[in-house]
């Protein structure tokens, strides 16, 4: 309850350039002037398996010249645990959280050859057209197909 309320009021879901894996930014964060609060939240997150980082900035605008701290949650594993165990009560923040989870790339094993490859959350299952066709021939014989769906590389 406490962490959900805290992230509802202070938290931010950042997801930029989601369709460009190399340039995308996917993270949860919040900023706070009080380092002890940031550290307390980080300790609570660690207890439920979520790793985070803390950095600091010198503020501009209304915080001009003041130091403030930012707690960041990166990586699929950590954001997924946050989604499952904490989440947001605020609908648009929860939707953004679910959207960035859909855009993570994870490692999977090709069901035909066992090779590990990068897989997006659409659950594509073959590492190459060659493996796809091997599986196709085993299951469907010599039937021809026009397009090969779900090919990763």
């Amino acid at each position: 309850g406490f962490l959900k309320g805290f992230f509802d009021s202070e938290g931010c879901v950042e997801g930029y350039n989601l369709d460009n894996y190399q340039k995308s930014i996917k993270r949860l964060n919040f900023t706070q002037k009080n380092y002890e609060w940031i550290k307390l939240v980080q300790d609570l997150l660690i207890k439920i398996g979520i790793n985070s980082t803390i950095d600091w900035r010198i503020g501009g605008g209304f915080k001009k010249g003041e130091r403030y701290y930012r707690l960041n949650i990166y990586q699929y594993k950590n954001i997924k645990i946050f989604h499952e165990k904490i989440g947001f009560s605020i609908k648009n923040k929860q939707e953004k959280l679910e959207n960035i989870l859909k855009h993570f790339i994870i490692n999977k094993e090709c069901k035909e050859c066992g090779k590990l490859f990068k897989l997006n959350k659409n659950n594509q299952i073959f590492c190459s057209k060659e493996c796809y066709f091997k599986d196709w021939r085993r299951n469907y014989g010599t039937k021809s197909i026009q397009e090969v769906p779900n090919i990763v590389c």
Side-chain angles (χ1 to χ4, degrees):
F2 170 76
L3 287 172
K4 181 180 282 218
F6 196 82
F7 275 90
D8 277 348
S9 64
E10 303 290 328
C12 179
V13 181
E14 293 183 306
Y16 305 109
N17 298 317
L18 294 177
D19 292 326
N20 183 340
Y21 175 69
Q22 293 178 330
K23 294 183 179 180
S24 69
I25 295 172
K26 299 176 275 295
R27 69 177 168 217
L28 309 174
N29 66 48
F30 72 89
T31 58
Q32 180 67 240
K33 189 174 175 181
N34 186 324
Y35 179 79
E36 286 77 26
W37 270 108
I38 292 272
K39 190 66 181 140
L40 171 69
V41 171
Q42 185 179 46
D43 292 343
L44 292 171
L45 291 170
I46 287 170
K47 288 182 180 182
I48 58 173
I50 299 172
N51 294 316
S52 61
T53 61
I54 297 174
D55 60 25
W56 62 272
R57 305 253 189 267
I58 300 296
F62 70 93
K63 294 181 179 181
K64 191 170 185 165
E66 294 182 38
R67 180 182 287 205
Y68 65 94
Y69 300 91
R70 182 173 63 187
L71 181 138
N72 300 290
I73 301 172
Y74 295 102
Q75 297 179 330
Y76 177 77
K77 177 190 95 142
N78 298 312
I79 295 173
K80 181 76 171 157
I81 293 170
F82 181 94
H83 177 260
E84 292 169 353
K85 294 189 176 182
I86 301 170
F88 290 100
S89 301
I90 298 171
K91 184 179 178 183
N92 70 329
K93 286 186 179 184
Q94 184 68 16
E95 288 171 352
K96 284 182 180 180
L97 173 60
E98 291 167 0
N99 188 43
I100 66 172
L101 281 170
K102 290 177 189 173
H103 285 85
F104 267 95
I105 304 293
I106 57 176
N107 288 328
K108 283 286 187 182
E109 191 174 283
C110 176
K111 79 175 201 177
E112 179 63 29
C113 71
K115 173 184 165 189
L116 285 178
F117 60 97
K118 299 281 186 193
L119 169 73
N120 68 22
K121 292 300 288 172
N122 293 331
N123 289 322
Q124 297 162 317
I125 55 173
F126 297 98
C127 67
S128 67
K129 287 185 179 183
E130 182 181 326
C131 282
Y132 179 87
F133 283 118
K134 282 181 186 175
D135 184 71
W136 177 271
R137 279 189 230 99
R138 184 173 41 259
N139 291 310
Y140 303 105
T142 58
K143 292 180 184 176
S144 64
I145 55 172
Q146 297 298 321
E147 287 186 18
V148 178
N150 298 330
I151 298 301
V152 174
C153 55

